[in-house]
Amino acid sequence: MCGRLAVTLPDDAMAQLFDAQPGNDLPEVPNHNVCPTTRVHVIWNQGANRRLGAMRWGFIPYWYKAANDGPLLINARAETIADKPAFKAACRTRRCLIPASGFYEWTKDAEGGRDPWYIHARDQSTLAFAGIWQDWTLAGETTRSCAIVTTGANAAISQIHHRMPVIIAPQDWALWLGEQGKGAATLMRAAPEQALGFYRVDRTVNSNRATGADLIKPLSC
């Protein structure tokens, strides 16, 4: 599961990092509380070039009669992505990278309260989540949407949640984007335990309306 992100890298730095041509419709950054159905930064391959643009976070299958015509598909399970009717074409030909500074997961306390955790790269680098995308058209208007690919969590992250995003290492970006032939399926695995760090943050982030850099500050005990 991955249901909330933080993105703090400026657009020009993001374009340079991924060697991508930026669009003019990019979401505002920094955003420490990126939520499903909003627009997210996405890198995909367009011909011989990489593009950096915005897509709706929430994959819309082509048969949906409305964007909310079925389940909200923000994640696609690596174990079944090649077989699911909603995802199987996209995982072959429409793979993308979804950059983030970190993401949130939740545990429950003894009273059932939801305690948020912020998960990030230990070296503070930008994470690149494996994603898939799809164009969906209704009444002549096209929405480009995406989902984050998830897999079973590594031992460290499983203390918080049993699933985690598939994180693509820089040396594998080209393979995931389809620039280096076949073999992308081998990348759909959990990141090494030592790659990620995590800490508790304030419950303020439990609201999808919360904003600001304080959302990713370590909780003071």
Side-chain angles (χ1 to χ4, degrees):
M1 178 69 179
C2 180
R4 209 81 71 80
L5 313 177
V7 180
T8 61
L9 192 67
D11 293 338
D12 55 350
M14 195 179 300
Q16 184 176 10
L17 176 64
F18 290 96
D19 191 23
Q21 180 64 39
N24 56 12
D25 63 340
L26 296 173
E28 184 177 347
V29 286
N31 186 344
H32 298 85
N33 195 6
V34 181
C35 301
T37 74
T38 62
R39 298 185 311 136
V40 293
H41 291 76
V42 178
I43 297 95
W44 72 98
N45 186 275
Q46 184 172 298
N49 301 304
R50 292 180 186 174
R51 304 288 298 180
L52 170 61
M55 297 187 190
R56 176 190 188 267
W57 184 15
F59 192 95
I60 310 175
Y62 69 87
W63 62 81
Y64 275 25
K65 303 301 183 184
N68 60 353
D69 196 32
L72 178 59
L73 305 176
I74 62 172
N75 295 156
R77 294 174 67 95
E79 298 87 345
T80 58
I81 192 172
D83 300 316
K84 291 289 186 181
F87 302 136
K88 62 182 182 179
C91 80
R92 290 196 301 269
T93 61
R94 294 189 302 277
R95 297 188 298 272
C96 60
L97 297 170
I98 300 172
S101 305
F103 63 103
Y104 302 93
E105 287 294 358
W106 281 261
T107 55
K108 288 186 177 181
D109 65 15
E111 289 74 40
R114 299 176 71 238
D115 292 325
W117 297 75
Y118 183 63
I119 304 168
H120 60 94
R122 286 190 184 275
D123 63 4
Q124 304 303 319
S125 62
T126 295
L127 301 171
F129 298 149
I132 53 173
W133 65 273
Q134 164 110 336
D135 280 342
W136 177 77
T137 302
L138 179 68
E141 293 191 10
T142 297
T143 299
R144 186 160 284 183
S145 64
C146 64
I148 293 171
V149 181
T150 66
T151 189
N154 61 37
I157 301 303
S158 65
Q159 301 174 64
I160 304 171
H161 198 276
H162 67 285
R163 304 288 297 176
M164 66 180 294
V166 171
I167 298 170
I168 306 297
Q171 65 269 21
D172 295 322
W173 291 348
L175 180 59
W176 181 256
L177 292 174
E179 300 167 358
Q180 292 183 344
K182 298 181 179 180
T186 64
L187 304 177
M188 291 191 289
R189 58 182 184 268
E193 291 184 50
Q194 65 272 19
L196 300 174
F198 53 88
Y199 53 83
R200 279 275 311 280
V201 293
D202 192 86
R203 288 185 178 182
T204 303
V205 77
N206 291 2
S207 168
N208 59 14
R209 297 181 180 180
T211 61
D214 284 349
L215 297 180
I216 64 170
K217 286 180 58 176
L219 185 66
S220 298
C221 298

